[in-house]
Amino acid sequence: MVAGYSAAQVRAAEAPHLARGEPLMRRAAAALAAAIRRVLVDAGAPSGPVVLLVGAGDNGGDALFAGAELAGDGVDVVGVATSERMHPGGREAAAEAGVRFVGPGDTDAACAAFESAAVLVDGILGTGTSSAPALRGAARDLVGLAIPVVERRGTAVVAVDLPSGIHPDDGTVPDPTVLHATLTVTFGAVKAGLLRRPAADYAGRVELVDLGLGDELATTTPLIVTD
């Protein structure tokens, strides 16, 4: 059986670990990088870059730190910003490792990156957007450009924690401008929305990264339990 938890429940479980200074983001990013490596191998090690769609918050930070690790190993990585802001530590680590960046207004360069991508990483929105999960502005525009390219080329998509644009708790998809993930790498606990349709249809295979939240989750009643 698989238990699905709300975004608030997961944040509460993480809180004492963050208060102790545990590097949860770095652990998540390392696991994400390992998952992307496996997807590259499964795809036959195509020659194109790993392309990161990078949001402004911690979800984008996870993608950036994972991209930095991959770039440090010699993988070609391109970060496509969906906002003028990025996680500062993640951006610094990625830039130092050699990740190339495309600004949110450079749609020609973004489209070129999508056309050449070996893997596309959806690191735009995480669980912090529960009240209004739909993509907006430049992020929505960029995903709208990426979707037909991904569908035509069959590009593997790795979602960071959850596909951007789905509701993490109830599984609703308020706007269809959402990338269908090949693999969703979710952190700490499976979000309930990943188990509920229609969002589950966007998640692909779900891989849980253990961040050591077991004791906290053991005293929490999940929103949903599936076989």
Side-chain angles (χ1 to χ4, degrees):
M1 293 193 299
V2 179
Y5 296 85
S6 72
Q9 287 173 324
V10 177
R11 284 194 294 272
E14 290 174 340
H17 297 267
L18 294 171
R20 292 194 292 269
E22 296 180 23
L24 299 189
M25 180 176 284
R26 293 302 190 105
R27 291 178 193 165
L32 175 62
I36 295 168
R37 289 190 193 97
R38 292 194 295 272
V39 172
L40 285 168
V41 170
D42 291 343
S47 59
V50 171
V51 176
L52 315 173
L53 278 164
V54 182
D58 287 349
N59 197 256
D62 294 329
L64 287 167
F65 280 119
E69 186 168 326
L70 293 167
D73 290 341
V75 177
D76 185 16
V77 182
V78 177
V80 177
T82 65
S83 166
E84 294 295 342
R85 295 184 298 112
M86 280 192 235
H87 186 280
R91 177 166 191 162
E92 181 180 1
E96 288 179 353
V99 174
R100 297 177 287 125
F101 285 99
V102 174
D106 194 345
T107 55
D108 288 344
C111 287
F114 300 152
E115 287 285 354
S116 64
V119 176
L120 185 60
V121 179
D122 172 5
I124 304 172
L125 297 180
T127 59
T129 58
S130 299
S131 60
L135 292 168
R136 292 172 176 79
R140 186 179 187 279
D141 293 342
L142 287 165
V143 169
L145 292 171
I147 287 171
V149 179
V150 166
E151 292 176 349
R152 172 168 47 81
R153 298 184 66 242
T155 308
V157 176
V158 177
V160 180
D161 207 28
L162 73 170
S164 297
I166 75 165
H167 196 292
D169 298 347
D170 63 24
T172 56
V173 182
D175 185 303
T177 309
V178 177
L179 282 160
H180 281 82
T182 310
L183 169 68
T184 296
V185 182
T186 198
F187 307 126
V190 174
K191 284 66 188 178
L194 296 173
L195 304 175
R196 290 171 161 164
R197 286 186 166 83
D201 296 327
Y202 289 83
R205 182 168 60 86
V206 177
E207 180 177 305
L208 173 63
V209 175
D210 183 5
L211 296 180
L213 310 184
D215 288 347
E216 290 78 15
L217 294 175
T219 61
T220 302
T221 302
L223 291 188
I224 183 173
V225 178
T226 66
D227 291 333

